[in-house]
Amino acid sequence: MAPIRTAWTRLIRFVAAETAQVHIGEPVDPKLDVGLAFVQKKPIKAYEIVGSALSPAAQLTKTVLTVKELLPPLSKEEIGLVRCLGLNYADHAAEAKMAKPKYPVLFYKPVQSLIGPGATIAVPKVCQPVQKHLPDYEVELVIVIGKPAKNVSEAEALDYVLGYTGANDISFRYHQMAVSQWGFSKGFDNTNPLGPCLVSATAIPDPQKVPLKTTVNGQVLQDGTTADQIFNVRQTVAFLSQGTTLLPGSIILTGTPKGVGFVKKPPTFLKGGDTVSVYVGAGIGTLVNPVIEEAANEKAKL
């Protein structure tokens, strides 16, 4: 089995100013943090990619487009299924005073929870008041599967990875701890930023050397690295593929390092008016998202 090779290194998905249509492309500036540039309203240019983000046959063109709106790097339809690992960093387990798990702790969340760079994180009415429900931040490296993976070994696991992106696994601690509902507490609509860049697996040969950082209103609250993962990317992909086919486009959130809000004394929590930023290194970039508290009369927008 050979690694998945793509014509692109960093992929973004966006609405183009020139066409008002959704496109995928590679940022012209290879060093630009497109997530920061987008919220700072700096110009972002991208070479158009023709084809699907999930197809190695997709072609990188010389057509330059201007980003009007930055979207998650994959659509909800392309992703299909969101898997997540809980308690996957040794330093985070220690700060939470929990034993390190013997096996990966898996939960799922709906794709309706996913939002893009700069989009608003909505604290639902059921998770208010925030002082009780403790909305929390979690910076995470995200694995994107590139080809069907079933019963794969750790040795070959990375050959099934298309690339990596970032996420902020917003968690509502009252529902998670008191109500004991991991998937529910982390799966509310419009609460999980994803992106900004999808970086090809060949550009990140060692996913255990990726820096991670969270800031809220400019204050650094998490500052870690994927080296502290209890189950590394190889182990995670291999374990989750046993008896189960991991489909192309499906994503795996791999856990968060120490520094989360609910363990602090007093607890730190997100509230309306806050701005939360999570940075994932290796070219992935920064997700910056404002927080609002949903009004009581908010209805579903289908």
Side-chain angles (χ1 to χ4, degrees), residues 214-221 275-277:
T214 298
T215 63
V216 177
N217 303 329
Q219 180 183 4
V220 176
L221 298 176
T275 298
V276 56
S277 302

Side-chain angles (χ1 to χ4, degrees), residues 48-107:
E48 185 179 15
I49 295 170
V50 176
S52 164
L54 302 180
S55 172
Q59 294 297 308
L60 182 64
T61 73
K62 294 296 186 182
T63 302
V64 176
L65 296 172
T66 306
V67 174
K68 180 180 179 182
E69 181 184 358
L70 195 57
L71 305 171
L74 297 172
S75 69
K76 294 179 174 67
E77 293 74 20
E78 288 173 318
I79 292 168
L81 192 62
V82 183
R83 293 177 175 88
C84 311
L85 294 194
L87 213 65
N88 192 37
Y89 280 71
D91 55 4
H92 175 47
E95 73 173 354
K97 297 181 171 56
M98 295 179 178
K100 290 197 292 186
K102 294 181 180 179
Y103 303 97
V105 177
L106 173 66
F107 64 95

Side-chain angles (χ1 to χ4, degrees), residues 208-229:
Q208 307 312 135
K209 294 181 178 179
V210 179
L212 307 166
K213 185 178 290 188
T214 298
T215 63
V216 177
N217 303 329
Q219 180 183 4
V220 176
L221 298 176
Q222 287 183 288
D223 191 359
T225 167
T226 54
D228 290 325
Q229 287 182 345

Side-chain angles (χ1 to χ4, degrees), residues 192-212:
N192 191 129
L194 183 73
C197 283
L198 171 59
V199 176
S200 67
T202 52
I204 306 179
D206 186 355
Q208 307 312 135
K209 294 181 178 179
V210 179
L212 307 166

Side-chain angles (χ1 to χ4, degrees), residues 78-232:
E78 288 173 318
I79 292 168
L81 192 62
V82 183
R83 293 177 175 88
C84 311
L85 294 194
L87 213 65
N88 192 37
Y89 280 71
D91 55 4
H92 175 47
E95 73 173 354
K97 297 181 171 56
M98 295 179 178
K100 290 197 292 186
K102 294 181 180 179
Y103 303 97
V105 177
L106 173 66
F107 64 95
Y108 297 83
K109 63 169 66 187
V111 292
Q112 289 88 349
S113 65
L114 302 177
I115 58 175
T120 300
I121 297 167
V123 178
K125 192 63 180 176
V126 72
C127 293
Q128 299 174 32
V130 291
Q131 296 89 334
K132 173 184 176 182
H133 288 270
L134 303 179
D136 211 345
Y137 47 82
E138 292 192 0
V139 58
E140 309 212 6
L141 177 72
V142 179
I143 304 165
V144 179
I145 298 298
K147 52 191 171 187
K150 184 175 182 180
N151 297 329
V152 305
S153 67
E154 289 181 21
E156 63 182 350
L158 296 188
D159 293 342
Y160 292 84
V161 176
L162 175 68
Y164 303 91
T165 190
N168 188 353
D169 179 20
I170 299 293
S171 306
F172 297 88
R173 301 302 186 185
Y174 177 79
H175 276 83
Q176 182 183 359
M177 304 300 182
V179 188
S180 297
Q181 294 279 357
W182 278 50
F184 187 56
S185 68
K186 291 168 170 274
F188 295 109
D189 289 355
N190 304 318
T191 55
N192 191 129
L194 183 73
C197 283
L198 171 59
V199 176
S200 67
T202 52
I204 306 179
D206 186 355
Q208 307 312 135
K209 294 181 178 179
V210 179
L212 307 166
K213 185 178 290 188
T214 298
T215 63
V216 177
N217 303 329
Q219 180 183 4
V220 176
L221 298 176
Q222 287 183 288
D223 191 359
T225 167
T226 54
D228 290 325
Q229 287 182 345
I230 297 170
F231 303 102
N232 63 30

